[in-house]
Amino acid sequence: MGTSATTARHDEGATGEDPLLGPQALREWVTGGHAARGRVFLREAETGAEAVAAAADPEDVILEPAGSVPRHGAARAVGYGGRLADLGDELFLGERGVELQDYIAASFVQIVGPTVMRFFDEASWRAFLDDADLARGTGVFAAAMLDPRVLLADRSALARPQEVQTPRALRIDADGRVHLGLQGEAVGHVDDLPAALGRARPRASALGGVPGSADLVAELDTRPWLRRYLDAADLRKMLRLPNGAARIAGFGWTLLDDELADAEPPTDDPFLLDTAEGFLLADVRTLRRHLLSPLTAAVVDAIQTSRTRGRAAARVARACGVPDAHARRLCLDAFTALGVHLGAPIEDASRDGVR
């Protein structure tokens, strides 16, 4: 890391050479995701401006109050107005704004534009976990989780709480304290910013400012399927599927209801859906979708909910009435052509409500 001899290019909001720079950087900062450009720094005031400019790399983005004095540095800067701290706050990039809402309220208020929802108290994150449990058991998702205008704060920390990484989303407050993202507690001071940037921490550290955060993280650890739940909600957003429009395997529905499943779909595997157009295999990461025949859909479900190839093939043969050799061949074809994998062991503690 180091400084540049040039003054950082400054885009006021969403204008400038790259109109998507600001919105994309803000999205990554809110969710805690891995930005393609690197890290995202948000300065709430002029405090620490020189230190941030000096520490930021060319692939990083600095979100700073509009009208800030340009500093010499390698990163690009984007000006914003407003703030995101208290319930109802709004932050603006040019003329486009995003509002901050509590998780509980987001499902009941009228969403009129881009909205960030976070946990303001313990009741808020407990409602989030209750909604996740309900979706896993019944297939019914909270309305706000399906609204494409709504972002869940620190989604990456909720999905992978124990994964360790160096900070990717940082907030520097008016006193110079360095926080992790929107909800993290202070992890250092801007005067010693390189030390804060170099120390790897669990992603759950970004939830340190949430009331009852230790209990929240403990609850996340008992739900290893939560990342798949978040992906399933994203899938409904992507395909514009409201509750009731389709069924997703593993969320209140299974195609092979043979009571022989000894595993659940791997976290990052594509999703099997039952839609009005037929069975669909959809991947939220590659955005690839495949229409499947009923037989192929049964093969996929058997593979994703079985721990061994032999068990998957035996279930296909039994459920679909095909010879064992043909069932084994169908499973092999699904492995190679569709990118599905054998399931992960079902934890006794997480069996309830799966199927």
Side-chain angles (χ1 to χ4, degrees):
M1 292 183 289
T3 61
S4 168
T6 60
T7 300
R9 184 185 307 130
H10 193 284
D11 293 334
E12 286 293 338
T15 63
E17 293 187 9
D18 184 356
L20 297 179
L21 176 65
Q24 289 176 346
L26 181 61
R27 182 184 185 91
E28 294 293 343
W29 182 79
V30 166
T31 62
H34 287 282
R37 295 180 174 87
R39 299 165 299 192
V40 182
F41 300 81
L42 185 143
R43 282 198 295 103
E44 293 184 337
E46 288 299 288
T47 307
E50 295 288 352
V52 173
D57 291 332
E59 64 270 23
D60 298 336
V61 178
I62 302 171
L63 300 172
E64 60 186 20
S68 296
V69 177
R71 264 74 179 191
H72 292 286
R76 283 184 287 182
V78 176
Y80 72 85
R83 65 200 293 261
L84 285 182
D86 298 321
L87 185 65
D89 280 351
E90 290 185 271
L91 184 147
F92 294 91
L93 296 172
E95 296 181 353
R96 292 185 289 181
V98 58
E99 181 182 355
L100 185 60
Q101 269 293 351
D102 178 68
Y103 176 84
I104 294 179
S107 287
F108 299 99
V109 301
Q110 182 178 5
I111 302 296
V112 297
T115 302
V116 173
M117 58 183 180
R118 61 154 293 186
F119 307 138
F120 279 90
D121 53 31
E122 184 172 333
S124 186
W125 61 256
R126 289 201 179 276
F128 164 76
L129 295 175
D130 288 345
D131 288 342
D133 292 340
L134 180 66
R136 183 165 162 83
T138 68
V140 178
F141 291 72
M145 293 294 295
L146 304 184
D147 193 317
R149 298 166 296 181
V150 176
L151 285 180
L152 179 62
D154 295 305
R155 181 195 186 282
S156 66
L158 297 168
R160 298 178 172 90
Q162 300 305 334
E163 184 174 288
V164 176
Q165 66 169 14
T166 54
R168 312 298 299 175
L170 300 108
R171 173 171 58 90
I172 295 83
D173 67 22
D175 294 322
R177 293 186 297 259
V178 179
H179 303 256
L180 299 179
L182 181 63
Q183 304 178 104
E185 291 183 335
V187 295
H189 194 273
V190 72
D191 290 342
D192 194 18
L193 185 56
L197 295 177
R199 181 183 172 190
R201 298 175 173 82
R203 290 195 184 206
S205 299
L207 303 170
V210 175
S213 59
D215 290 337
L216 168 58
V217 174
E219 292 283 358
L220 296 175
D221 288 341
T222 67
R223 294 168 171 81
W225 46 265
L226 192 62
R227 188 165 84 208
R228 193 158 177 85
Y229 158 70
L230 293 171
D231 285 345
D234 287 347
L235 178 65
R236 283 196 175 275
K237 284 185 185 182
M238 182 180 75
L239 299 181
R240 307 284 179 168
L241 294 175
N243 285 315
R247 298 184 292 181
I248 302 178
F251 293 89
W253 171 74
T254 183
L255 178 56
L256 292 185
D257 193 12
D258 56 7
E259 299 185 353
L260 295 175
D262 66 347
E264 52 189 328
T267 299
D268 295 327
D269 246 33
F271 288 90
L272 177 65
L273 296 90
D274 180 18
T275 73
E277 290 72 34
F279 294 110
L280 183 71
L281 189 67
D283 193 322
V284 294
R285 289 167 179 79
T286 65
L287 305 183
R288 295 180 62 186
R289 287 174 281 174
H290 302 274
L291 278 173
L292 306 179
S293 68
L295 176 58
T296 303
V299 171
V300 168
D301 196 52
I303 290 173
Q304 291 185 323
T305 58
S306 299
R307 297 177 64 177
T308 67
R309 294 190 181 191
R311 188 180 188 89
R315 293 176 65 199
V316 170
R318 175 178 174 174
C320 303
V322 298
D324 291 343
H326 185 45
R328 288 193 295 270
R329 182 64 190 178
L330 289 172
C331 290
L332 180 60
D333 289 344
F335 281 120
T336 57
L338 298 177
V340 294
H341 301 84
L342 289 168
I346 298 176
E347 298 291 338
D348 290 342
S350 62
R351 280 180 183 270
D352 293 343
V354 179
R355 288 175 166 76

